[in-house]
Amino acid sequence: MTDDAAGTDERAARESGARGERDEDDRAIPAVEQTPDPDETGEEPANDSFSLATFHDVCQAEGRPVVTAGAVANALDTTHEAATEALDRLESVGSIERLPVDADPVVWYPSELEDLSARERVVVFPKRREIVVDQPEQFTRAQLSQFAHLKETTGDGGYRYVVRPEDVWQAPHDDLAGLRRTIRQALGERNDELEDWIESQWDRARQFRLRTHSDGYTVLEAQSPEIMGNVARQVLDDAHVHAPISDTEDWVREGAEAALKRELYEAGYPVQDDRDLEGGDPLDVDLTVSLRDYQRTWVERFDDQGAGVLVGPPGSGKTVAALGAMARVGGETLVLVPSRDLARQWADAIVTNTTLDPSQIGQYHGGQKVVRPVTIATYQIAGMDRHRSLFDEREWGLTIFDEVHHVPSDVYRRATHLQSRYRLGLSASPIREDDRQAEIFTLVGPPIGTDWDALFDAGFVAEPELEIRYVPWDEEAGNAYAAAEGREKYRIAAENAAKVDEVRYLLAAHPDGQALIFVDYLDQGRDLSDALSIPFLSGETPHHERERLLSEFRSGERQRLLVSRVGDEGLDLPTADLAIIASGLGGSRRQGTQRAGRTMRPAGGALVYVLATRGSREEDFARKQLQHLGRKGVSVRERTVERDEPTE
């Protein structure tokens, strides 16, 4: 037995003990405290063997929070008299209460009904393919994450999961039997309707595959002539394939592999990529830091799949995990990033966290153009025709797509023609306002990650406190807003001058914290900078000045910094105690995640304030921007600011 298998069996054994043993048809048997058989001992069971925990087990077995003495007697295989005495004893110490009713002489219920709510409960809605879990154990959440998507959390122990086709297509299992076992461990029982649907999706994900022909070209292969004729040959055209080879095989055009996979994915049939892609020259590299357990799991899952997208909150160490994947692959690596600032930061991270020498690392962008065994390039440069051949000439063992949510855009997608044996994407939030996020997983690979709430609970990443503050209108801005139309209204609300006083108030309320203040408009940034005497870092700031300001902030020499949109992902901003979002990009969920993420770190205690002008569309935008974080377990509160609130 492998270590992984042994670990799975051990977890299953623990789960069985926690939930009760299972009989042959997987129905749960409650793990209640059993009393001795009178026939064996010659006496009735001792009353003191009946505890409040036993009472809760009987309630759970009965499926209701109230029970009769007869129900207790039946559950524990004892006499009615002994059960009544035991219940009387629990009542005498205040653990339970009695209540006479018409249907039965007496029913009993816990004094603290909420004790029952502290137990894990799983409810399945198979027609909607939803799973609602209350107070789940960590094991249950780990099992659910392998085949379901965490849609939202309630903040008080409730979780709602949705089983989507792509979750089944990308489940990390070698066979359907292993997936079924995981499902039953998570749910605590069989659910035939849900399992039948999951099996149908499992089969869909194995209908097509790409393979390399002995002559070197790529072949699309279908499981049957029917699936090839009714699906592939209906949605693909001459831009994707040359001609049929047989009833189940088509000759794929060179360079059309990514587009072909995208078309079939959108038709509901993901393609398994079994091509013999070049692995590039070997690269001897090791990490100089230790991976956390969940990072190690990410790397192992990526190694098994050969492609994927690491999804985790800011501060969870996706870059370090990607370097772990690079060490595991051991091949020359191309890293694609959105900006030259990120290219420099990647170069520094590689030198800091691996055994590679700086001479082995190259950067290819507007500032410098050097190709080395590990090369960091911008998406725009890699997608340009005049530079493409340079990247094609080298066989990359691994391609890393940083900020992978950009990939579906027309400009960035051109870089995905670089098809290496291993492809890895990174993103805190692979969502797009144009709903093209499915393309991320077809062009790069399936999502790999741990739900944010699990990382919050484990203390690896601190959950920030988020507050939307509704700011009153400055009189002049309010009049201008009423007369404006279209997008001008958005800008007037965003630049509402009353926000200057509110930012000043928040900074005064947290005098010892390091604060990042985000703005979307340059004029607003300059106004705040002048009013508060805080430097403003934007796209217009020279690179040497950016580095100086960021260095001073990291060292603690500088406590306040204003940042434009350039700080959303183009810069490796230092972590702050306080983030104030003075204006936002139309409610972008990804932007809200990025900005709130600047406060996520293990130390905890961070605060995020989002300012929205009261009575404007900014109110809706602010809620939308943070809704995504709320669904990931981050609590969000709202407050209306009064005009006479002190600013000093």
Side-chain angles (χ1 to χ4, degrees):
M1 178 183 296
T2 66
D3 290 342
D4 288 346
T8 300
D9 290 344
E10 183 180 351
R11 288 193 298 271
R14 291 200 302 268
E15 181 70 359
S16 177
R19 297 187 181 185
E21 299 177 357
R22 282 161 169 69
D23 62 7
E24 292 182 354
D25 67 355
D26 283 326
R27 290 174 299 184
I29 300 174
V32 298
E33 272 185 86
Q34 297 297 329
T35 53
D37 190 327
D39 292 338
E40 295 178 1
T41 64
E43 58 184 13
E44 294 294 330
N47 287 344
D48 58 7
S49 67
F50 184 81
S51 66
L52 180 60
T54 311
F55 180 85
H56 286 322
D57 286 329
V58 175
C59 289
Q60 191 168 27
E62 289 289 300
R64 57 180 183 165
V66 296
V67 293
T68 64
V72 172
N74 290 335
L76 302 183
D77 194 22
T78 188
T79 66
H80 190 283
E81 180 182 4
T84 301
E85 290 178 1
L87 292 165
D88 285 338
R89 184 180 60 81
L90 285 184
E91 184 198 19
S92 69
V93 296
S95 297
I96 62 175
E97 306 285 344
R98 71 169 67 215
L99 177 68
V101 295
D102 293 337
D104 286 292
V106 175
V107 295
W108 306 81
Y109 63 93
S111 299
E112 299 292 341
L113 277 174
E114 58 265 27
D115 287 351
L116 283 174
S117 66
R119 291 170 170 243
E120 175 180 288
R121 280 173 175 74
V122 181
V123 180
V124 182
F125 301 91
K127 293 187 184 301
R128 301 203 305 262
R129 300 188 293 279
E130 290 187 1
I131 302 166
V132 177
V133 193
D134 188 39
Q135 307 299 329
E137 297 174 4
Q138 188 62 44
F139 175 81
T140 301
R141 283 166 54 187
Q143 300 302 84
L144 283 167
S145 70
Q146 296 186 49
F147 66 91
H149 170 68
L150 178 60
K151 188 69 174 176
E152 62 184 341
T153 63
T154 63
D156 57 357
Y159 295 75
R160 182 166 71 92
Y161 291 83
V162 178
V163 186
R164 307 167 301 179
E166 56 265 36
D167 299 318
V168 180
W169 299 344
Q170 298 149 6
H173 291 79
D174 294 329
D175 53 48
L176 183 60
L179 176 56
R180 284 188 183 276
R181 185 162 51 250
T182 295
I183 296 168
R184 293 172 187 178
Q185 287 174 342
L187 304 185
E189 62 183 3
R190 291 175 59 169
N191 189 294
D192 290 338
E193 185 174 352
L194 180 61
E195 288 187 22
D196 287 347
W197 181 84
I198 287 175
E199 181 176 357
S200 71
Q201 294 302 319
W202 177 273
D203 290 340
R204 267 181 174 259
R206 283 148 186 82
Q207 295 300 312
F208 293 101
R209 76 180 184 111
L210 290 176
R211 63 176 177 82
T212 303
H213 192 272
S214 57
D215 290 336
Y217 58 84
T218 301
V219 174
L220 173 67
E221 183 178 84
Q223 284 291 324
S224 68
E226 291 76 19
I227 200 73
M228 175 62 86
N230 294 333
V231 179
R233 289 175 182 163
Q234 299 298 317
V235 301
L236 302 178
D237 55 30
D238 292 345
H240 306 101
V241 294
H242 286 291
I245 301 172
S246 70
D247 288 345
T248 58
E249 298 170 309
D250 276 2
W251 181 354
V252 179
R253 286 188 179 276
E254 184 177 0
E257 293 87 355
L260 179 149
K261 288 193 293 183
R262 185 172 62 251
E263 291 293 334
L264 287 175
Y265 189 99
E266 291 174 353
Y269 291 87
V271 178
Q272 293 185 318
D273 196 340
D274 296 331
R275 289 176 290 164
D276 298 329
L277 295 171
E278 295 295 335
D281 290 337
L283 181 67
D284 186 15
V285 55
D286 292 307
L287 284 180
T288 58
V289 294
S290 298
L291 295 178
R292 297 167 178 169
D293 288 343
Y294 68 86
Q295 292 171 320
R296 194 174 298 110
T297 299
W298 289 353
V299 173
E300 290 170 353
R301 187 165 167 186
F302 166 73
D303 191 33
D304 288 341
Q305 297 175 176
V309 176
L310 298 186
V311 180
S316 58
K318 294 183 293 297
T319 299
V320 173
L323 296 179
M326 184 172 72
R328 182 71 66 94
V329 170
E332 296 194 343
T333 299
L334 174 65
V335 182
L336 297 175
V337 297
S339 69
R340 68 170 72 177
D341 287 305
L342 278 177
R344 296 188 186 98
Q345 291 155 24
W346 263 92
D348 292 341
I350 293 169
V351 171
T352 302
N353 298 294
T354 74
T355 56
L356 290 176
D357 188 86
S359 64
Q360 296 174 281
I361 304 166
Q363 297 182 48
Y364 201 99
H365 47 67
Q368 55 179 291
K369 295 180 175 60
V370 178
V371 177
R372 296 276 168 75
V374 175
T375 299
I376 307 130
T378 58
Y379 285 100
Q380 294 91 331
I381 288 286
M384 292 180 180
D385 291 337
R386 65 178 182 273
H387 298 289
R388 186 174 299 176
S389 61
L390 184 64
F391 296 106
D392 285 338
E393 287 170 1
R394 204 173 194 113
E395 295 173 350
W396 303 104
L398 169 66
T399 302
I400 297 174
F401 301 85
D402 195 15
E403 305 292 357
V404 73
H405 42 266
H406 289 298
V407 161
S409 68
D410 295 333
V411 173
Y412 285 27
R413 186 191 299 190
R414 290 179 294 178
T416 61
H417 76 284
L418 296 163
Q419 295 284 296
S420 58
R421 177 178 294 179
Y422 292 93
R423 298 182 304 281
L424 178 64
L426 309 181
S427 182
S429 187
I431 56 174
R432 293 178 58 87
E433 303 310 309
D434 58 9
D435 292 325
R436 294 170 67 184
Q437 53 263 29
E439 295 188 29
I440 297 170
F441 306 127
T442 61
L443 294 168
V444 179
I448 300 170
T450 304
D451 73 70
W452 289 31
D453 213 44
L455 296 181
F456 293 153
D457 288 349
F460 290 120
V461 180
E463 175 187 344
E465 296 182 39
L466 270 64
E467 181 173 289
I468 304 174
R469 295 177 68 85
Y470 301 111
V471 180
W473 278 106
D474 169 81
E475 185 174 352
E476 182 178 344
N479 293 334
Y481 183 85
E485 296 182 357
R487 296 195 60 83
E488 186 61 21
K489 279 183 173 288
Y490 306 153
R491 179 164 187 147
I492 293 171
E495 296 183 323
N496 176 14
K499 291 183 179 181
V500 176
D501 285 340
E502 185 60 23
V503 173
R504 182 182 289 113
Y505 166 76
L506 292 172
L507 293 176
H510 305 283
D512 299 326
Q514 280 194 292
L516 289 170
I517 303 129
F518 293 93
V519 296
D520 265 18
Y521 297 101
L522 295 179
D523 287 344
Q524 183 187 26
R526 297 185 189 106
D527 290 343
L528 280 167
S529 179
D530 292 341
L532 304 173
S533 299
I534 297 174
F536 179 38
L537 192 156
S538 71
E540 297 178 348
T541 308
H543 288 290
H544 70 275
E545 180 69 6
R546 290 189 195 184
E547 289 304 314
R548 182 183 67 80
L549 291 172
L550 293 173
S551 176
E552 291 174 354
F553 194 92
R554 289 190 188 96
S555 67
E557 181 181 350
R558 182 172 298 281
Q559 293 290 100
R560 309 280 189 260
L561 195 59
L562 269 159
V563 187
S564 72
R565 291 181 192 175
V566 72
D568 291 345
E569 58 190 25
L571 293 176
D572 182 18
L573 286 178
T575 302
D577 303 301
L578 175 68
I580 302 174
I581 301 172
S583 55
L585 185 61
S588 164
R589 294 167 291 172
R590 176 171 49 79
Q591 187 191 49
T593 299
Q594 294 284 357
R595 290 180 171 181
R598 300 305 183 186
T599 67
M600 292 184 183
R601 68 204 193 290
L607 299 167
V608 180
Y609 294 106
V610 178
L611 307 187
T613 298
R614 193 164 66 226
S616 74
R617 290 291 302 279
E618 267 200 326
E619 289 192 6
D620 294 334
F621 288 160
R623 294 189 185 98
K624 178 184 176 184
Q625 192 176 61
L626 299 183
Q627 183 182 53
H628 180 65
L629 288 171
R631 288 173 175 170
K632 289 182 175 294
V634 178
S635 58
V636 180
R637 60 179 181 264
E638 301 177 51
R639 180 177 176 183
T640 298
V641 177
E642 301 300 332
R643 281 186 179 275
D644 57 355
E645 190 170 69
T647 59
E648 295 295 340

